[in-house]
């Protein structure tokens, strides 16, 4: 049985995680951490500074502001972390990498199996098309999402840029007037309504356009991935950085 500390337990993703875990027999929520008290009877703490329960792993769907206290608690107690929060600064990403020298860290901007598959497809397309096709990434999310572009859009861009070297990310073109450079990867954000998550990768060539897209219809797909990652990470993994490719390889 894997005991989980759920960081961000009162949020929408926290609720999805709780629902997912309740349907499984291989894990349970040992405690929740959030500045807002959850509407459940789980053990609850307002911050990691006063957590006093034993657990095997942390799942984090919270806010970048929580990172320092969570990593401090995790490294001091030797607890692996599944970090699903997005919007981190480069300095915070460096702290995550540093923590992975002490504990296992599963870090991904998107826990969906489908998203990770389209990333592989996008890499293949970028490799085949080269600079003959322009690449644009469009992401859509609900109007409560704080960060833009999404962590997933950046995951896609980072994967493509490994295939197409010297790529340059362009987030906004209204401020200058010039032709599109072949090295550009355009990244565009849409926020509205209760859109769960839509990602589209457009490869536009001469007289030909290839579009690869993924649509998340509920938060359940992300919850399932996060819980699977938690059970995977808690199973005696050594310190280091892990992601969805490691989880898929273990199947």
């Amino acid at each position: 049985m894997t005991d989980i500390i759920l960081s961000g337990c009162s949020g929408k993703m926290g609720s999805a995680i709780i629902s997912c875990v309740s349907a499984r027999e291989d894990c349970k929520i040992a405690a929740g951490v959030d500045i807002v008290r959850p509407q459940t009877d789980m053990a609850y703490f307002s911050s990691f500074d006063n957590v006093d329960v034993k657990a095997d792993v942390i799942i984090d769907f919270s806010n970048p502001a929580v990172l320092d206290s969570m990593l401090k608690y995790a490294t001091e107690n030797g607890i692996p972390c599944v970090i699903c929060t997005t919007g981190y600064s480069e300095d915070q990403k460096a702290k995550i990498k540093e923590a992975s020298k002490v504990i296992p860290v599963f870090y991904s901007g998107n826990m969906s199996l489908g998203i990770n598959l389209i990333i592989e497809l996008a890499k293949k397309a970028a490799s085949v098309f080269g600079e003959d096709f322009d690449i644009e990434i469009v992401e859509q999310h609900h109007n409560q999402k704080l960060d833009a572009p999404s962590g997933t859009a950046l995951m896609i861009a980072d994967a493509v840029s490994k295939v197409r070297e010297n790529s340059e990310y362009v987030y906004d073109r209204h401020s200058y007037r010039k032709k599109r450079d072949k090295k550009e990867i355009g990244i565009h954000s849409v926020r509205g309504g209760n859109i769960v998550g839509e990602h589209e990768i457009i490869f536009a060539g001469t007289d030909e356009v290839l579009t690869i897209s993924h649509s998340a219809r509920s938060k359940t797909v992300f919850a399932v991935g996060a819980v699977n990652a938690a059970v995977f990470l808690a199973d005696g993994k050594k310190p280091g950085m892990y992601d969805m490719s490691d989880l898929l390889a273990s199947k």
Side-chain angles (χ1 to χ4, degrees):
M1 178 68 70
T2 300
D3 290 336
I4 300 168
I5 293 176
L6 177 56
S7 176
C9 61
S10 299
K12 292 180 179 179
M13 275 310 308
S15 297
I17 294 286
I18 293 168
S19 177
C20 178
V21 170
S22 68
R24 298 176 60 138
E25 297 181 352
D26 59 348
C27 58
K28 63 183 177 68
I29 304 295
V33 179
D34 205 310
I35 58 172
V36 178
R37 180 177 289 275
Q39 296 179 343
T40 68
D41 58 358
M42 72 169 65
Y44 162 74
F45 302 92
S46 60
S47 75
F48 278 96
D49 294 334
N50 48 22
V51 173
D52 63 356
V53 301
K54 292 184 178 181
D56 301 305
V57 64
I58 297 168
I59 296 179
D60 176 56
F61 266 110
S62 60
N63 185 285
V66 178
L67 183 67
D68 286 351
S69 61
M70 181 183 70
L71 290 181
K72 181 176 184 293
Y73 175 82
T75 54
E76 288 180 352
N77 292 276
I79 301 178
C81 289
V82 178
I83 302 178
C84 311
T85 300
T86 60
Y88 289 121
S89 67
E90 291 304 314
D91 180 60
Q92 288 176 311
K93 291 178 182 178
K95 290 179 179 179
I96 293 172
K97 189 173 182 179
E98 188 66 23
S100 73
K101 297 177 181 178
V102 181
I103 58 172
V105 175
F106 194 109
Y107 178 45
S108 177
N110 192 297
M111 302 303 296
S112 160
L113 177 61
I115 278 291
N116 284 274
L117 177 57
I118 72 163
I119 287 174
E120 293 304 314
L121 294 174
K123 287 168 62 177
K124 180 64 175 179
S127 175
V128 171
F129 291 147
E131 291 190 357
D132 292 335
F133 281 64
D134 299 322
I135 302 174
E136 298 285 311
I137 300 169
V138 183
E139 57 96 351
Q140 303 179 51
H141 285 87
H142 53 86
N143 57 21
Q144 300 300 302
K145 186 170 178 61
L146 300 179
D147 57 313
S150 68
T152 302
L154 292 174
M155 280 178 62
I156 296 168
D158 289 345
V160 169
S161 66
K162 289 179 180 178
V163 176
R164 207 168 77 167
E165 297 180 355
N166 302 316
S167 294
E168 175 186 356
Y169 300 172
V170 175
Y171 304 99
D172 190 358
R173 292 197 175 89
H174 85 278
S175 60
Y176 62 91
R177 293 176 59 83
K178 66 176 184 180
K179 292 182 179 180
R180 189 188 195 284
D181 191 283
K182 284 293 183 182
K183 294 180 180 179
E184 289 184 17
I185 296 179
I187 306 176
H188 313 278
S189 300
V190 176
R191 297 290 177 266
N194 62 348
I195 301 171
V196 175
E198 308 277 339
H199 291 85
E200 184 178 59
I201 312 152
I202 302 167
F203 293 87
T206 302
D207 300 327
E208 186 176 16
V209 176
L210 171 69
T211 301
I212 304 172
S213 64
H214 177 270
S215 175
R217 301 304 172 89
S218 80
K219 297 181 183 298
T220 302
V221 295
F222 310 122
V224 170
V227 175
N228 285 339
V231 173
F232 163 80
L233 209 61
D235 187 25
K237 296 298 181 291
K238 296 179 179 179
M241 293 291 290
Y242 297 83
D243 59 23
M244 188 60 74
S245 62
D246 298 300
L247 178 59
L248 295 177
S250 71
K251 297 296 185 182

